Amino acid sequence: MKRLLTVVMLLCIAAAFATPRAQAQELSDEAFEATISQLNQIIPGIGRPDRWQFQILFPSTDSAVMCPLVPGYKTQNTRQPFIVSLFYGETEYIFHASSDGFAIQPCDPKLGQVGMAQISTVPAAADACTLTPGGGFANIRIQPDIEAQQVFTLEEGRQVLGRNGDTTWYLIAEGWVAGTVVATSGDCSPNVLPERSTDIMLLSATPQVAATGGTGTTIVTPLPGATVVAAAPSDDLAAYTCPPNFEGYLPPRIRAGAVTAQVQLGGFPNTLRSLPTTQSDRVGQVQPGRRLDRVIQGPRCGDGFMWWQIDIDGRVGWTAESSAEDNEYYLEPTPGNEVAVQPAGEVAALPSSVVAITTDNIGLVRQSSVLSGNYNVFAWRGEFDALAALGGLPVPVDVTSINSVAVMPASTGVSGVTAIAVAPDSAIYAQGTDTGAVTVFTEDGDEETALAAAVNAIAFSPDSTRMATGTGDSDGAEDTWTLQLWDVPGMMNGVGENDLLRTIRFPFPVRDVAFSADGNSMAVLAERNGDAALWIYTDGGVGANTLTLLVENTQGYVFVEPVPEGQDGDFIYAKGTALFSMDVATGTERLLYDQNTLLITDVAFNPASPQQMIVTNTSAASPDAPTGSIPLYAYDYSAFAGSTPAPTVVDVTAGVEVSFNEGGSAFAVLTLTGDMRFYAVP
């Protein structure tokens, strides 16, 4: 089983450090060629590998050259063992070989019983000898010493692979177990049970990999912990995004939430890792049958496994739900928490019914698609399509299925797009550019253009009759910092002199504008170099300025959004790390929460579930440095009345903009790196 091999190999090569073949302690060319020859005997005609890796282990007297999958015996001579990995495409075959060619041991379950036969003569294996813990459990250690590091806990019977010299310790696949804490059964006599080298489980703090390609070039890469890979695993969770429809993986059966899953009985313990990959550090394990205290987030996909981040006994890490290669599940839902498994080959369309995202259903929120590129603005144009600007070039986006988001051919006639907005009735949309053009498109393709300064923001009133455009060049020309309020029907009817309702000048460039949910108020947010203020206007923007409010500590990220009708307040905005709401009638500003360590970059409300609010964040310490550890939060906005509700972590990404589609069944996040990420809402 692949998971068992991962555990066994980790224990065996945890002491490994890399070395090129040319160093003093080397695998001879004869031994290397013999390894290839041995594989060709097992798999006739496989030929020479595309690439290979060597790991050098500590000197050993073990005749099995420290391969823990077969029993060996203690020899008279100490030899230098190597792990040799031969790669054929993406398939890896593992051998253990001594530097002098004394033994070349296939050490890979993929090679089958023929491959696992010993080349050198070995006493009979102790197949009949098994041990079980004398109490509820027994500690498994890296060496036969009570002071040695504990790596696992034995809770059920295991086959014995060998013993130490005086038969006071037994070696199983996971490590060494003291004979005083176990009961043995079968024939475990010293004359039958092979004596194994006691240095087989030694650990080293800084293992490395020497990866040699087909050209013979050697690359040495230091690795964290005891992981053996060609490079350190990425800590950006986007690197482990599951493919559309979970192609190549078993579909998930569990969901996030408290006590929603458990490790299946009858198998091995589930390894807990720091990241959703077998190449990351091992941080613990979960025994068969244990219920997980909490499934935090997931799923993620990597190395053929589907992963979930969990909390067990106060320890947080990633563990595998299933293995596609073995066609086997390791986690199962607890009663009442079953998730319907989608038949293979079907594409999951956007859900028809929408509920608020909570800790109980967060596992059903799936980041299924990512559009990579240099996107700068984005807006939904209904339920299943959207508009985006890719490096300033407008492109339509098809979101018919959240699993197969696609970019259509680029639009023509407009370039340098810096702002996009769609009218609430979806009949028209507008694009603004860095050259000062505002273009309004109708359903039949007609358009009207009005000149202005460089456009930073566009917003439509709730009844789609007014459009506000915010401008502001960065060249210091103060007279270009304006907001224009337009009569949309007038623009569409060609009545040019009545198109522009008013122009308002501001001391800073206008960065964002929004109309209240009832259409009675307009909020304008202007900012330059951290100096910012919020202005409120009555009568849908036509009336007087009734409130001006300083917005401090923005650090470059500013926004203003309308609060849905039925919720407390009219507008929501941020001051750096603090989120506020504003009640226009009373002029009351209310602090919702201050998260202290992260800048709040944008907020979006779900139109199908108005109390549902998604908040994007980035690092306050270095807002221009993307990181994979920035949470994407979901809040119950209505719960802010009198308290600060705990957020639900939807994903981990540095986001700068977020928006829901028309029906609230999906939302999109524009990341700090310019990618667009799409999520299906349960």
Side-chain angles (χ1 to χ4, degrees):
M1 190 168 72
K2 184 174 181 179
R3 182 175 57 156
L4 175 58
L5 174 61
T6 301
V7 172
V8 169
M9 289 306 300
L10 179 61
L11 286 170
C12 181
I13 62 179
F17 60 91
T19 180
R21 292 177 62 200
Q23 292 182 4
Q25 289 184 318
E26 62 179 13
L27 180 71
S28 66
D29 290 337
E30 292 77 13
F32 175 64
E33 294 298 331
T35 303
I36 299 175
S37 176
Q38 177 67 11
L39 180 59
N40 274 265
Q41 292 179 34
I42 301 169
I43 308 177
I46 193 171
R48 299 187 65 80
D50 302 319
R51 56 190 176 91
W52 54 89
Q53 289 180 348
F54 301 94
Q55 287 88 42
I56 183 172
L57 304 175
F58 284 102
S60 172
T61 59
D62 184 30
S63 69
V65 275
M66 297 180 68
C67 173
L69 300 183
V70 295
Y73 63 94
K74 186 174 183 179
T75 66
Q76 297 296 317
N77 299 318
T78 299
R79 291 179 172 84
Q80 180 63 65
F82 283 80
I83 298 172
V84 183
S85 295
L86 305 179
F87 292 89
Y88 293 78
E90 296 301 316
T91 303
E92 176 186 14
Y93 297 102
I94 301 171
F95 288 77
H96 283 220
S98 63
S99 57
D100 60 359
F102 167 79
I104 299 174
Q105 172 61 54
C107 195
D108 194 326
K110 292 195 297 293
L111 297 174
Q113 293 299 317
V114 175
M116 298 310 297
Q118 289 277 136
I119 294 177
S120 57
T121 302
V122 178
D127 294 330
C129 181
T130 59
L131 55 80
T132 54
F137 67 93
N139 293 327
I140 305 175
R141 301 185 182 276
I142 62 174
Q143 286 181 280
D145 188 328
I146 60 173
E147 300 299 327
Q149 179 184 346
Q150 177 188 344
V151 290
F152 290 101
T153 300
L154 176 67
E155 297 187 3
E156 58 184 354
R158 285 288 191 276
Q159 178 183 334
V160 178
L161 300 180
R163 60 180 177 85
N164 66 342
D166 57 5
T167 319
T168 56
W169 287 78
Y170 295 100
L171 179 65
I172 60 175
E174 293 85 355
W176 292 92
V177 181
T180 56
V181 295
V182 294
T184 60
S185 60
D187 189 356
C188 300
S189 58
N191 62 321
V192 172
L193 198 61
E195 181 181 351
R196 297 300 297 267
S197 173
T198 58
D199 56 12
I200 189 172
M201 298 297 174
L202 285 175
L203 291 178
S204 175
T206 56
Q208 293 178 320
V209 171
T212 307
T215 61
T217 302
T218 298
I219 304 171
V220 178
T221 306
L223 301 174
T227 305
V228 179
V229 290
S234 171
D235 61 358
D236 184 357
L237 292 182
Y240 312 104
T241 299
C242 292
N245 201 36
F246 304 109
E247 183 178 357
Y249 292 85
L250 296 180
R253 303 188 307 176
I254 67 171
R255 63 185 180 87
V259 199
T260 57
Q262 64 187 27
V263 180
Q264 293 193 153
L265 286 169
F268 292 93
N270 256 41
T271 299
L272 197 61
R273 295 188 178 276
S274 59
L275 290 167
T277 170
T278 58
Q279 312 304 323
S280 65
D281 292 340
R282 178 184 172 279
V283 297
Q285 66 174 356
V286 188
Q287 297 300 323
R290 277 295 307 272
R291 291 193 171 193
L292 309 179
D293 295 338
R294 186 177 192 79
V295 178
I296 300 173
Q297 62 169 312
R300 297 288 176 173
C301 296
D303 309 319
F305 296 92
M306 180 167 288
W307 303 83
W308 294 80
Q309 189 182 43
I310 69 163
D311 181 355
I312 182 76
D313 297 333
R315 178 167 292 179
V316 174
W318 293 85
T319 195
E321 179 190 4
S322 61
S323 166
E325 181 174 319
D326 297 332
N327 194 34
E328 182 177 359
Y329 284 94
Y330 309 131
L331 301 180
E332 61 185 4
T334 53
N337 291 295
E338 296 81 3
V339 174
V341 176
Q342 182 175 300
E346 292 188 6
V347 176
L350 294 173
S352 57
S353 60
V354 181
V355 297
I357 300 170
T358 66
T359 54
D360 291 332
N361 64 20
I362 186 61
L364 300 178
V365 179
R366 294 182 288 104
Q367 181 210 300
S368 299
S369 301
V370 178
L371 295 178
S372 298
N374 184 28
Y375 289 88
N376 55 309
V377 289
F378 176 89
W380 290 93
R381 193 171 53 175
E383 185 81 1
F384 301 121
D385 67 331
L387 293 166
L390 181 59
L393 186 65
V395 290
V397 179
D398 180 9
V399 199
T400 304
S401 168
I402 200 68
N403 288 330
S404 57
V405 175
V407 176
M408 303 295 103
S411 302
T412 59
V414 179
S415 61
V417 173
T418 52
I420 298 176
V422 178
D425 60 8
S426 297
I428 57 175
Y429 67 92
Q431 294 177 169
T433 71
D434 55 4
T435 59
V438 177
T439 305
V440 181
F441 298 84
T442 66
E443 286 183 310
D444 57 11
D446 295 335
E447 60 185 69
E448 292 286 337
T449 302
L451 295 178
V455 181
N456 298 326
I458 303 176
F460 286 92
S461 62
D463 61 3
S464 302
T465 61
R466 293 181 304 281
M467 179 181 70
T469 57
T471 68
D473 293 327
S474 59
D475 60 3
E478 187 171 330
D479 59 350
T480 66
W481 299 338
T482 59
L483 178 129
Q484 292 84 20
L485 187 65
W486 306 88
D487 174 50
V488 175
M491 296 180 72
M492 295 299 96
N493 293 329
V495 187
E497 60 187 38
N498 295 327
D499 295 352
L500 184 59
L501 298 176
R502 71 184 300 184
T503 297
I504 311 171
R505 293 187 176 181
F506 290 90
F508 317 124
V510 175
R511 301 299 186 188
D512 204 4
V513 58
F515 292 90
S516 61
D518 59 11
N520 293 330
S521 302
M522 180 181 71
V524 182
L525 201 156
E527 180 269 344
R528 187 187 186 200
N529 298 328
D531 296 323
L534 184 69
W535 287 262
I536 305 295
Y537 294 85
T538 61
D539 299 327
V542 179
N545 168 218
T546 59
L547 178 67
T548 300
L549 179 73
L550 291 179
V551 179
E552 304 164 318
N553 303 318
T554 64
Q555 299 189 47
Y557 295 100
V558 292
F559 66 89
V560 58
E561 293 289 333
V563 174
E565 288 191 275
Q567 303 297 317
D568 186 29
D570 295 286
F571 296 101
I572 191 169
Y573 49 91
K575 298 181 180 180
T577 63
L579 190 65
F580 291 84
S581 69
M582 166 61 65
D583 183 88
V584 172
T586 63
T588 303
E589 180 185 52
R590 180 166 68 102
L591 172 65
L592 299 179
Y593 73 95
D594 191 332
Q595 57 191 17
N596 299 315
T597 58
L598 293 173
L599 291 172
I600 302 170
T601 58
D602 199 16
V603 166
F605 289 90
N606 188 336
S609 183
Q611 80 278 10
Q612 180 74 74
M613 179 178 69
I614 301 292
V615 181
T616 55
N617 309 276
T618 190
S619 170
S622 54
D624 295 327
T627 172
S629 60
I630 302 298
L632 181 66
Y633 286 136
Y635 281 96
D636 179 353
Y637 181 80
S638 62
F640 279 104
S643 63
T644 301
T648 300
V649 178
V650 177
D651 201 352
V652 183
T653 184
V656 292
E657 291 184 14
V658 57
S659 57
F660 280 91
N661 67 348
E662 185 178 78
S665 59
F667 65 92
V669 174
L670 174 61
T671 73
L672 194 60
T673 58
D675 293 340
M676 291 299 310
R677 299 189 180 187
F678 294 84
Y679 299 79
V681 178

